[in-house]
């Protein structure tokens, strides 16, 4: 996390949006689950604004009790957010529960095989396993790439990684 904090750069959020829209956009019409960035995560809000303007419905994750996959609630820019688990911001109770077809996935580190190092709760791995066929794109700073991420039996590779510097098609 400390190494990621040093990667913040002006214009990275907009550059990430340009890369995704140009090189690896979500499937047309897909409901896209993003996340509200925390701390030093790359800011995907410019990308989500572009996706919403292009007609994609958006959702944000809600962290359930440990051992469960993430839940998703429909969200639009301008809708309220409330504090969620682990310091997240989430749509309030009562927002429509949805199932995304595409996910923008946060991470601490990634490798060329499409494996990601997350925050240790396994929420995204359980979620991706529960959504076979969903398009999953990791989003990060280019400097978060490492030679090899340690992988376990339940780790789910991503379809690709988008950074402010470009798109990495993975082997996964």
């Amino acid at each position: 996390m400390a190494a990621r904090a040093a990667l913040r750069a002006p214009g990275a959020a907009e550059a990430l949006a340009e890369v995704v829209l140009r090189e690896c956009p979500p499937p047309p019409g897909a409901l896209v689950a993003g996340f509200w960035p925390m701390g030093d995560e790359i800011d995907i809000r410019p990308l989500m604004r572009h996706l919403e303007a292009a007609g994609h419905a958006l959702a944000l994750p809600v962290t359930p009790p440990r051992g469960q996959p993430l839940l998703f609630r429909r969200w639009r820019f301008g809708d309220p957010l409330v504090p969620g688990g682990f310091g997240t911001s989430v749509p309030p109770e009562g927002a429509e529960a949805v199932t995304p077809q595409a996910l923008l996935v946060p991470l601490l580190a990634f490798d060329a095989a499409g494996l990601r190092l997350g925050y240790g709760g396994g929420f995204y791995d359980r979620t991706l396993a529960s959504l076979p066929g969903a398009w999953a794109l990791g989003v990060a700073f280019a400097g978060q790439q490492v030679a090899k991420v340690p992988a376990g039996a339940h780790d789910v590779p991503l379809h690709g990684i988008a950074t402010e510097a470009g798109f990495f098609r993975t082997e996964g």
Side-chain angles (χ1 to χ4, degrees):
M1 291 175 104
R4 181 179 65 191
L7 299 173
R8 296 186 73 160
E14 293 77 13
L16 171 70
E18 289 175 18
V19 166
V20 172
L21 296 171
R22 181 181 63 241
E23 298 183 42
C24 54
L31 188 153
V32 179
F35 57 90
W36 200 258
M38 300 185 321
D40 295 311
E41 290 177 331
I42 195 160
D43 187 353
I44 67 166
R45 290 174 293 191
L47 170 58
M48 290 173 52
R49 282 189 184 279
H50 284 289
L51 293 173
E52 184 177 57
H56 287 278
L58 301 177
L60 293 176
V62 177
T63 308
R66 284 201 181 270
Q68 303 289 320
L70 293 167
L71 306 171
F72 296 92
R73 292 182 186 151
R74 177 82 166 87
W75 181 81
R76 295 171 187 85
F77 277 92
D79 287 354
L81 294 172
V82 298
F86 301 99
T88 60
S89 296
V90 303
E93 294 251 358
E96 178 186 2
V98 294
T99 302
Q101 293 91 34
L103 294 93
L104 302 171
V105 182
L107 50 88
L108 287 174
F110 68 93
D111 66 19
L115 293 171
R116 63 180 277 283
L117 180 63
Y119 297 99
F123 291 107
Y124 273 96
D125 287 317
R126 277 189 293 284
T127 301
L128 294 174
S130 74
L131 296 171
W135 178 85
L137 179 71
V139 288
F141 293 103
Q144 290 176 254
Q145 185 172 12
V146 297
K148 185 158 179 64
V149 169
H154 299 292
D155 290 333
V156 177
L158 300 168
H159 293 100
I161 310 289
T163 74
E164 79 285 5
F167 173 60
F168 298 87
R169 187 169 310 282
T170 64
E171 301 162 8

